[in-house]
């Protein structure tokens, strides 16, 4: 028998007898920002991100993580994430901290952000859709989880300086979508504010940690369980939302 034919037959037998190919690599970027220089401190984002990072490692993700990052360090972590995504089957980005929407576009804030004028928006923040594009370009599945709707600390200053330029900063985050193979989870509904929490974790992160990795569930099952727990814990104040084009 031709040696190559033996190899193909052996591989087929392995599959028929219950063997499987190695699972595709899964890579996560986890960032938690709480100690803001110009926007007030948030108590729980670093705790939330550290706990989520550990949970993701426990269930098999390769994790790139960072805490209380300035703009340069955030860009460095995103670059490291891009490198780690090479050959991955799925990418996941979890962010906890301040997030804002301006003119319907969402941004996450490094701890050194000082958005006193609209012109600084692109210089001192990170557009969230850039991170989605990064994952979509390199993997078949892109997952974005945002616990970043706590408030817009710069809404008043941005709107005051931009009244004549048609720029509008709103509360919460704007709705988002993505290309095929994308899942986006928000800690609360678009335009709404999420609670930071009074314990170690935010209500959203606490529920996510409770259910992440439960056997036999899809990611949509996960979000239903998280949504139920957050609604109960916040007495209907906060309702996590999600959008997906998973196949």
């Amino acid at each position: 028998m031709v040696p190559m034919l033996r190899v193909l037959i052996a591989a087929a037998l392995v599959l028929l007898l219950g063997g499987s190919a190695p699972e595709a690599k899964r890579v996560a970027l986890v960032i938690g920002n709480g100690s803001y220089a110009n926007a007030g401190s948030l108590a729980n984002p670093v705790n939330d991100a550290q706990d989520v990072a550990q949970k993701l490692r426990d269930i098999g993700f390769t994790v790139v993580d960072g805490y209380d990052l300035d703009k340069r360090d955030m860009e460095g972590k995103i670059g490291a994430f891009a490198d780690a995504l090479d050959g991955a089957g799925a990418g996941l980005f979890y962010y906890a901290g301040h997030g804002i929407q301006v003119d319907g576009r969402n941004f996450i804030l490094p701890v050194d952000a000082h958005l006193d004028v609209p012109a600084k928006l692109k210089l001192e923040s990170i557009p969230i859709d850039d991170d989605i594009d990064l994952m979509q370009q390199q993997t078949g599945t892109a997952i974005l989880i945002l616990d970043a709707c706590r408030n817009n600390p710069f809404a008043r200053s941005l709107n005051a300086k931009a009244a004549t330029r048609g720029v509008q900063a709103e509360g919460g985050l704007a709705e988002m979508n993505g290309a095929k193979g994308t899942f986006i989870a928000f800690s609360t509904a678009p335009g709404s504010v999420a609670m930071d929490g009074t314990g170690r974790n935010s209500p959203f992160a606490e529920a996510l940690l409770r259910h992440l990795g439960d056997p036999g569930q899809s990611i949509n099952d996960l979000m239903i369980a998280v949504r139920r727990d957050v609604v109960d814990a916040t007495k209907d104040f906060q309702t996590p939302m999600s959008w997906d084009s998973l196949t």
Side-chain angles (χ1 to χ4, degrees):
M1 185 179 292
V2 180
M4 180 56 70
L5 183 58
R6 287 199 191 98
V7 171
L8 293 174
I9 291 174
L13 287 172
V14 168
L15 292 174
L16 288 171
L17 294 173
S20 60
E23 186 175 340
K25 181 173 67 170
R26 298 176 294 172
V27 181
L29 172 63
V30 178
I31 294 176
N33 287 341
S35 298
Y36 285 90
N38 305 296
S41 294
L42 296 170
N44 288 331
V46 170
N47 295 338
D48 297 338
Q50 288 175 337
D51 294 347
V52 168
Q54 186 56 55
K55 186 73 170 182
L56 290 170
R57 289 187 177 100
D58 291 344
I59 61 174
F61 277 80
T62 298
V63 177
V64 176
D65 55 340
Y67 311 100
D68 284 335
L69 303 179
D70 61 20
K71 174 76 180 303
R72 182 173 181 176
D73 288 339
M74 282 187 73
E75 290 173 338
K77 290 294 182 180
I78 293 169
F81 179 49
D83 292 340
L85 282 172
D86 184 34
L92 183 153
F93 179 28
Y94 172 89
Y95 173 79
H98 276 310
I100 66 173
Q101 64 158 309
V102 177
D103 285 349
R105 192 180 186 194
N106 294 322
F107 301 83
I108 54 179
L109 301 185
V111 296
D112 59 343
H114 188 203
L115 306 181
D116 53 344
V117 294
K120 289 185 178 180
L121 186 63
K122 291 183 179 180
L123 297 174
E124 300 194 11
S125 64
I126 305 288
I128 295 176
D129 47 10
D130 286 355
D131 298 305
I132 296 177
D133 290 343
L134 175 68
M135 291 187 287
Q136 289 172 343
Q137 290 169 14
Q138 295 187 250
T139 71
T141 301
I143 301 169
L144 177 67
I145 304 176
L146 294 169
D147 195 359
C149 315
R150 288 160 165 93
N151 58 47
N152 183 343
F154 299 106
R156 181 176 297 179
S157 61
L158 286 173
N159 289 334
K161 299 285 180 64
T164 61
R165 301 193 180 190
V167 176
Q168 185 65 36
E170 303 286 350
L173 295 180
E175 291 187 58
M176 297 179 66
N177 54 40
K180 182 177 67 175
T182 303
F183 181 92
I184 304 173
F186 300 90
S187 59
T188 193
S192 299
V193 175
M195 293 182 175
D196 193 37
T198 57
R200 174 175 172 81
N201 299 116
S202 73
F204 178 78
E206 184 176 8
L208 182 65
L209 290 163
R210 183 179 301 121
H211 296 290
L212 191 62
D214 285 351
Q217 68 175 356
S218 70
I219 194 167
N220 286 303
D221 295 334
L222 167 68
M223 278 306 300
I224 290 171
V226 168
R227 184 178 302 119
R228 180 180 61 242
D229 285 4
V230 172
V231 167
D232 289 345
T234 63
K235 297 180 171 28
D236 288 323
F237 175 83
Q238 182 175 333
T239 304
M241 305 293 286
S242 61
W243 177 95
D244 81 85
S245 62
L246 299 176
T247 57

